[in-house]
């Protein structure tokens, strides 16, 4: 989950990795960056740490894992009232240069160019990783201070 409130200058990212048992929630505001480990209950406070809203809201982190995939456009779909193309993932383009040598799933890209959704499983003989992403809402977002953030 990734949410940016441009008006308030706050953002949050939640990252869950079921294989390695991580679940972190990071909150960004004018005072700094605060990361809460939802499993251990530990809070990492980094007051004064500068963060860039473009980095938090960037699509670059989403695109990078998609670049090595073999894909085929398979159908046209509608996402949030706009036309999009659904691509089927058929493998890895150059498995000699990637940790995974197999990949399956799909990617949906709107005609405006944004990534609306993907669900990809990649792996090799030693691991399997599933990555899921979808846009839940467009428009204005509100990011309020999370309950785990201590009042100071």
């Amino acid at each position: 989950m990734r949410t940016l409130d441009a008006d308030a200058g706050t953002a949050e990212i939640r990252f869950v990795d079921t294989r390695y048992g991580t679940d972190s929630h990071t909150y960004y505001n004018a005072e700094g960056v605060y990361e809460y480990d939802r499993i251990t209950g530990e809070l990492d406070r980094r007051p004064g740490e500068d963060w860039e809203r473009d980095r938090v809201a960037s699509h670059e982190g989403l695109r990078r894992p998609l670049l090595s995939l073999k894909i085929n456009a398979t159908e046209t779909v509608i996402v949030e009232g706009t036309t999009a193309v659904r691509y089927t993932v058929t493998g890895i383009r150059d498995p000699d240069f990637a940790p995974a040598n197999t990949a399956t799933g799909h990617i949906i890209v709107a005609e405006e160019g944004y990534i609306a959704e993907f669900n990809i499983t990649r792996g090799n003989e030693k691991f399997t990783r599933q990555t899921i992403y979808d846009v839940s809402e467009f428009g204005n977002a509100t990011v309020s201070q999370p309950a785990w953030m201590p009042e100071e």
Side-chain angles (χ1 to χ4, degrees):
M1 176 183 79
R2 182 185 306 218
T3 309
L4 171 69
D5 183 339
D7 292 334
T10 56
E12 64 183 334
I13 295 177
R14 180 151 180 217
F15 180 78
V16 179
D17 186 328
T18 55
R19 177 172 174 93
Y20 294 106
T22 60
D23 185 350
S24 64
H25 186 175
T26 307
Y27 174 69
Y28 304 82
N29 67 13
E31 285 76 45
V33 178
Y34 304 86
E35 185 171 340
Y36 178 68
D37 185 318
R38 299 175 70 90
I39 294 173
T40 66
E42 293 180 33
L43 176 63
D44 179 18
R45 303 176 197 205
R46 298 188 302 268
E49 182 172 317
D50 193 24
W51 61 279
E52 298 173 21
R53 78 181 217 182
D54 290 346
R55 196 182 113 247
V56 171
S58 169
H59 252 46
E60 194 53 42
L62 298 175
R63 284 184 3 164
R64 190 172 45 253
L66 305 178
L67 295 176
S68 65
L69 299 174
K70 285 185 195 176
I71 59 174
N72 290 325
T74 53
E75 66 180 314
T76 302
V77 296
I78 302 297
V79 176
E80 293 287 323
T82 189
T83 304
V85 177
R86 180 183 170 101
Y87 295 88
T88 299
V89 176
T90 61
I92 304 288
R93 268 193 278 164
D94 195 349
D96 292 337
F97 293 99
N101 57 23
T102 64
T104 59
H106 72 273
I107 304 165
I108 297 177
V109 181
E111 63 184 355
E112 290 90 349
Y114 68 84
I115 301 165
E117 171 184 322
F118 62 75
N119 186 335
I120 300 165
T121 301
R122 67 183 90 220
N124 62 27
E125 304 76 38
K126 296 181 181 178
F127 81 93
T128 300
R129 170 177 282 168
Q130 181 182 25
T131 308
I132 300 170
Y133 167 84
D134 78 84
V135 175
S136 59
E137 185 177 344
F138 290 103
N140 295 326
T142 301
V143 178
S144 54
Q145 184 168 305
W148 51 260
M149 181 88 173
E151 296 291 332
E152 297 190 69

